[in-house]
Amino acid sequence: MQKFHRILQIILLVYFVGILIFFIAFDTMGSLVGIAEVTSNSVVKIMLTGLVLFLISWLIGKAVKSSLNGRIKKMESEMNSLKAKIYDFEHPKTMDKPKKETPQKPAEGDSGSIPPRQNFTED
C-alpha cells in the first residue's frame, strides 16, 4: 500500500507539472494536441481530473498512516509486555515471607533490663 501511495503521488506530481508546462507553452503545444484555444470547459475537466487524483492519493495516504499507527500501537504493547516479563525475571516473587526476628526480653539481672531514662524538668 505504501508503494502504491508513493507511485500515486509521483503520478499526481507529473500530472500537474505536465499541465503547468502545457499551459505555459500552449502556443506551441496546443497545436500538437489539437486544441486551438483553451475553453473553460477544458480547464474544468483538467482540474477535476487533478482533484480526483489528489483525493485518491490523500485517502490512500490516510489509510497508510492509520495502518502504520496501528502497527506502532501493537509494537508498543508487545514491548511493554516484554518489559514486564524482564522485570518479573529480574525481581522474582518469593512465596516465603521473610521471618521477622522477635525481640527477646533480657533477663532481670541483666544490664539490658534497665528501663530507659526519662527527663523531667522542673517548672
Side-chain angles (χ1 to χ4, degrees):
M1 187 76 124
Q2 275 183 311
K3 287 184 181 182
F4 182 67
H5 181 245
R6 288 180 187 160
I7 291 170
L8 196 57
Q9 284 182 329
I10 292 170
I11 290 171
L12 183 66
L13 176 70
V14 168
Y15 177 79
F16 278 113
V17 167
I19 293 300
L20 180 67
I21 291 171
F22 175 75
F23 282 123
I24 289 174
F26 180 73
D27 294 335
T28 58
M29 293 184 78
S31 61
L32 294 175
V33 181
I35 299 175
E37 63 181 37
V38 179
T39 62
S40 61
N41 193 18
S42 62
V43 172
V44 167
K45 286 180 184 177
I46 290 170
M47 289 308 205
L48 283 178
T49 305
L51 178 67
V52 168
L53 284 174
F54 173 75
L55 289 177
I56 291 170
S57 176
W58 180 70
L59 288 173
I60 290 176
K62 289 292 251 183
V64 166
K65 184 178 178 182
S66 174
S67 169
L68 289 176
N69 283 338
R71 287 177 57 192
I72 288 171
K73 287 180 182 179
K74 182 180 175 184
M75 286 180 173
E76 284 178 349
S77 66
E78 288 176 2
M79 187 175 63
N80 286 339
S81 67
L82 288 175
K83 283 181 181 179
K85 286 180 182 178
I86 289 172
Y87 181 82
D88 289 342
F89 285 134
E90 290 177 353
H91 302 86
K93 293 181 182 177
T94 56
M95 298 306 285
D96 299 331
K97 293 183 181 179
K99 295 180 180 178
K100 295 181 182 178
E101 293 185 23
T102 56
Q104 296 178 355
K105 293 184 181 181
E108 287 187 30
D110 215 359
S111 64
S113 65
I114 300 174
R117 192 175 105 187
Q118 295 178 350
N119 293 331
F120 293 103
T121 58
E122 294 181 22
D123 289 348

